[in-house]
Amino acid sequence: MMADGHLIFLDPHPRTEAIVYTPDAARRLAEMGRVVTHFGSRAPNALVDEILPDVSVIIGQTAMPRERLCRAPNLLAILNVKANWEPNIDYAEAHARGIHVLSAAPAIAPAVAEYCLAQAIALSRRFGEGDRLFRKGAEAYGIAGNRLAYSLYDAKAGLIGFGNVGRALAPLLKPFGCIVSAYDPWVSDEILNALEIRPAGLDEILSESRFLFFLAGATTENAGFLDRQKLSRIQDDACVILASRAEIVAFSDFVQLAAAGRYRAAIDVFPEEPVAERSMLRDAPNILFTAHLAGGIEASYRRIRTIMLDDVGRILRGCPPRRMQPADPDRAARMRSR
């Protein structure tokens, strides 16, 4: 058992107790130190002020500006159990103090990659339309029903954004013989080449890919960078999957072009969630909608707990974390994901 001197603070809202603090997780954390928890909302300032002088590890989304970091002399790590970087931490100050700031994004990525693959096949084979026709008694069998279907095999696939999800998705596409290209200004050509991913410019990927995956995170610089002009370069009747952040596209234009039949689309994220009950989106054709379901499955939450517990244990033993994603101070400070 580790020294009782370590204070571990859980403030994971909007993650729930059931997601991050199962009985097994609670037992393992208790073996590492004294645990203080707050669920159901962000921790009140009074509670945060109380734990700051002694806290070793923060698990959650607690706001940690420079002023709070200065009052936490024993803080070793902040573990964000969501898959994003929130603009409520002074990342540069934490880095300067040697505080590990980590994200659970690697735990979510496999489920999102699986979602992307499933939607790509569903769109290209028109399974949604096939289901609707069957329910109306208007189905066609065999080749007659596959007139507008095409295959993922040997197709050109373009990834816009090559972070955790891109790295998880690319190996799933390779068995289909896909020619996989990626555009990400944060990732060098050398890294992509080493992973047998073809580096390409944004315009090239938009115009040449039969399957497009929009996977980039939202930053202070890239809001709406996939505007109508860029979206108009997408190959006619391509399959486009939006599974990362809605903020990276001109969302209304994206929906309008898909509804008009320029391309087929699957959308899992929205500028405002939940979507209004009477939103015009609900009547938009040629789009497969899901309600931010790509990553939020129990398998993802099990992985979050596993990598969180592994890294907390390593950090409290004086070892570097190995499972969660470390924050790059400059990039994390620019992120604007919700």
Side-chain angles (χ1 to χ4, degrees):
M1 182 177 292
M2 306 197 73
D4 289 338
H6 293 305
L7 192 157
I8 302 167
F9 180 48
L10 271 81
D11 176 26
H13 182 77
R15 297 290 190 229
T16 65
E17 182 174 359
I19 288 174
V20 299
Y21 202 54
T22 60
D24 181 63
R27 177 185 57 78
R28 289 187 58 186
L29 288 172
E31 291 172 353
M32 301 179 196
R34 181 166 67 92
V35 181
V36 176
T37 66
H38 180 84
F39 297 104
S41 64
R42 293 286 170 100
N45 291 335
L47 178 56
V48 176
D49 291 340
E50 180 182 336
I51 60 92
L52 282 178
D54 300 315
V55 69
S56 299
V57 173
I58 295 173
I59 298 173
Q61 282 66 252
T62 309
M64 291 298 292
R66 184 177 188 277
E67 178 271 331
R68 280 185 171 175
L69 292 170
C70 291
R71 290 193 286 126
N74 299 304
L75 184 59
L76 302 174
I78 302 168
L79 284 68
N80 181 344
V81 286
K82 292 173 62 183
N84 61 356
W85 303 114
E86 298 198 6
N88 64 351
I89 295 175
D90 189 326
Y91 292 96
E93 181 68 19
H95 181 75
R97 290 174 174 269
I99 297 169
H100 299 287
V101 183
L102 308 170
S103 163
I108 304 294
V112 181
E114 179 183 67
Y115 167 93
C116 289
L117 180 65
Q119 292 293 61
I121 295 171
L123 287 173
S124 64
R125 299 293 299 275
R126 295 176 59 84
F127 290 155
E129 180 66 10
D131 176 77
R132 286 189 291 272
L133 290 172
F134 183 87
R135 292 177 186 279
K136 294 192 302 182
E139 75 275 15
Y141 290 81
I143 190 63
N146 277 323
R147 185 175 56 84
L148 299 177
Y150 55 87
S151 177
L152 180 62
Y153 272 94
D154 301 321
K156 290 185 177 181
L159 282 54
I160 297 178
F162 195 75
N164 291 291
V165 176
R167 289 171 182 265
L169 176 60
L172 302 184
L173 295 171
K174 288 301 181 71
F176 290 88
C178 291
I179 302 169
V180 183
S181 302
Y183 167 79
D184 191 324
W186 293 89
V187 180
S188 70
D189 289 359
E190 288 75 17
I191 290 175
L192 293 174
N193 287 325
L195 295 170
E196 299 183 341
I197 306 297
R198 179 176 170 270
L202 179 59
D203 287 349
E204 181 182 353
I205 282 188
L206 289 170
S207 62
E208 295 187 4
S209 300
R210 190 62 156 163
F211 293 84
L212 275 165
F213 301 91
F214 291 174
L215 309 176
T219 71
T220 52
E221 290 89 7
N222 73 358
F225 84 99
L226 291 167
D227 58 20
R228 192 178 189 94
Q229 182 181 23
K230 291 185 175 66
L231 295 171
S232 66
R233 296 172 186 164
I234 293 173
Q235 184 180 125
D236 284 345
D237 204 33
C239 292
V240 189
I241 294 90
L242 176 59
S244 181
R245 304 296 172 183
E247 292 84 353
I248 68 172
V249 302
F251 194 80
S252 294
D253 291 330
F254 180 69
V255 170
Q256 288 173 9
L257 288 168
R262 272 281 286 107
Y263 45 75
R264 310 175 190 187
I267 297 177
D268 188 54
V269 289
F270 305 88
E272 297 292 335
E273 297 178 4
V275 174
E277 183 177 348
R278 302 195 177 198
S279 170
M280 294 176 63
L281 293 175
R282 300 187 187 278
D283 297 318
N286 302 318
I287 302 173
L288 287 177
F289 288 110
T290 49
H292 210 140
L293 303 180
I297 61 176
E298 180 53 39
S300 298
Y301 301 142
R302 284 197 300 270
R303 282 190 289 267
I304 287 176
R305 294 191 295 271
T306 296
I307 67 175
M308 171 190 81
L309 292 166
D310 284 356
D311 274 351
V312 170
R314 289 184 59 84
I315 290 164
L316 294 182
R317 292 195 302 272
C319 301
R322 288 284 183 260
R323 304 293 300 279
M324 298 181 74
Q325 180 182 5
D328 174 276
D330 180 54
R331 186 174 186 182
R334 300 179 189 216
M335 300 304 288
R336 288 298 179 268
S337 299
R338 288 175 285 119

